[in-house]
Amino acid sequence: DTAVSQTPKYLVTQMGNDKSIKCEQNLGHDTMYWYKQDSKKFLKIMFSYNNKELIINETVPNRFSPKSPDKAHLNLHINSLELGDSAVYFCASSLAGTSTDTQYFGPGTRLTVL
Amino acid sequence: DQQVKQNSPSLSVQEGRISILNCDYTNSMFDYFLWYKKYPAEGPTFLISISSIKDKNEDGRFTVFLNKSAKHLSLHIVPSQPGDSAVYFCAASEMGQGGKLIFGQGTELSVKP
């Protein structure tokens, strides 16, 4: 059983479209995260949710909107996609969202905006 | 402003020898440091961590050393195995920041048979 899963694995779309990436964890964790890995390979945090409550909201364009229907799911919706949004997006989860909790990552979603 | 830096984008080591991966940080408020390992087309997986109150943590073939005065940490892998070939990310966190991890840009380790 996959601990943290993301769908889709690959996403190719045109500029201006709206798309969503889904994330689910079956670890019973309270906290979930979205990270973006850009072309320079840096992994940067975008958002985190603890039990459906937004905790971390980094400087991310408001075209990006996370949605957590329950604590096992954290989806990422992106409006009006731009070329610069092309990246690999990783979902992660941890037990309680403390600084010493191990974060478990999903396999990533490679988004290509044409 | 990159708070965590891995200045070597790649490292090549012979099987059986020691691999040493380095990481520097600038934020003195970081109090927990981690190493993640990443294979192609997979997400990062946790490898080993160290609290700022320690200077060494060992787990099997993997040892992490922390030098707080130099704001430097290193990961030693002894002996290196071909299956260790992957990208290694250093990360740091600060208490009270909701688990926010700041990552370095990774070092690609290649262990040759």
Side-chain angles (χ1 to χ4, degrees):
Chain A
D1 262 356
T2 306
V4 182
S5 59
Q6 295 178 227
T7 53
K9 193 165 176 63
Y10 299 96
L11 185 53
V12 181
T13 188
Q14 299 287 329
M15 266 197 316
N17 284 350
D18 302 339
K19 289 293 179 186
S20 292
I21 306 172
K22 295 185 176 181
C23 178
E24 176 180 3
Q25 54 95 3
N26 62 7
L27 297 167
H29 289 169
D30 283 345
T31 305
M32 297 183 72
Y33 310 80
W34 277 109
Y35 286 84
K36 177 181 180 181
Q37 185 179 32
D38 59 23
S39 56
K40 294 182 181 176
K41 305 301 182 186
F42 286 107
L43 267 160
K44 292 184 179 176
I45 192 162
M46 301 171 69
F47 304 101
S48 80
Y49 269 72
N50 183 287
N51 232 336
K52 302 196 296 176
E53 179 186 350
L54 181 65
I55 302 296
I56 297 173
N57 187 357
E58 290 294 287
T59 308
V60 175
N62 57 15
R63 298 181 295 103
F64 290 78
S65 54
K67 287 186 172 46
S68 181
D70 55 61
K71 72 174 193 176
H73 296 85
L74 181 61
N75 304 322
L76 184 64
H77 189 76
I78 316 171
N79 287 328
S80 304
L81 278 154
E82 300 178 357
L83 292 176
D85 298 332
S86 294
V88 182
Y89 292 85
F90 290 98
C91 176
S93 74
S94 71
L95 189 60
T98 67
S99 63
T100 56
D101 277 349
T102 298
Q103 292 185 25
Y104 296 84
F105 284 78
T109 296
R110 181 174 292 278
L111 171 65
T112 304
V113 183
L114 303 174
Chain B
D1 177 31
Q2 196 57 26
Q3 299 182 70
V4 177
K5 294 181 183 178
Q6 294 173 254
N7 292 318
S8 299
S10 62
L11 175 67
S12 184
V13 168
Q14 207 67 30
E15 181 179 7
R17 307 293 291 268
I18 184 171
S19 297
I20 300 177
L21 295 95
N22 293 303
C23 177
D24 296 296
Y25 62 96
T26 57
N27 186 345
S28 57
M29 298 301 290
F30 288 145
D31 54 12
Y32 198 69
F33 303 89
L34 310 91
W35 285 93
Y36 277 80
K37 176 179 178 179
K38 184 183 179 306
Y39 292 116
E42 293 183 11
T45 55
F46 171 74
L47 189 58
I48 192 170
S49 62
I50 188 167
S51 163
S52 61
I53 62 172
K54 295 186 175 183
D55 54 18
K56 176 182 174 181
N57 188 26
E58 191 172 350
D59 183 2
R61 296 186 296 114
F62 302 92
T63 303
V64 56
F65 294 92
L66 175 62
N67 182 333
K68 280 194 302 184
S69 60
K71 293 191 176 69
H72 177 85
L73 63 154
S74 60
L75 174 68
H76 292 210
I77 307 174
V78 183
S80 301
Q81 299 173 355
D84 296 330
S85 297
V87 177
Y88 289 79
F89 288 96
C90 170
S93 66
E94 178 186 342
M95 192 186 305
Q97 296 297 307
K100 176 178 170 181
L101 287 179
I102 306 297
F103 281 88
Q105 64 269 54
T107 295
E108 184 171 8
L109 173 66
S110 175
V111 180
K112 301 191 183 304

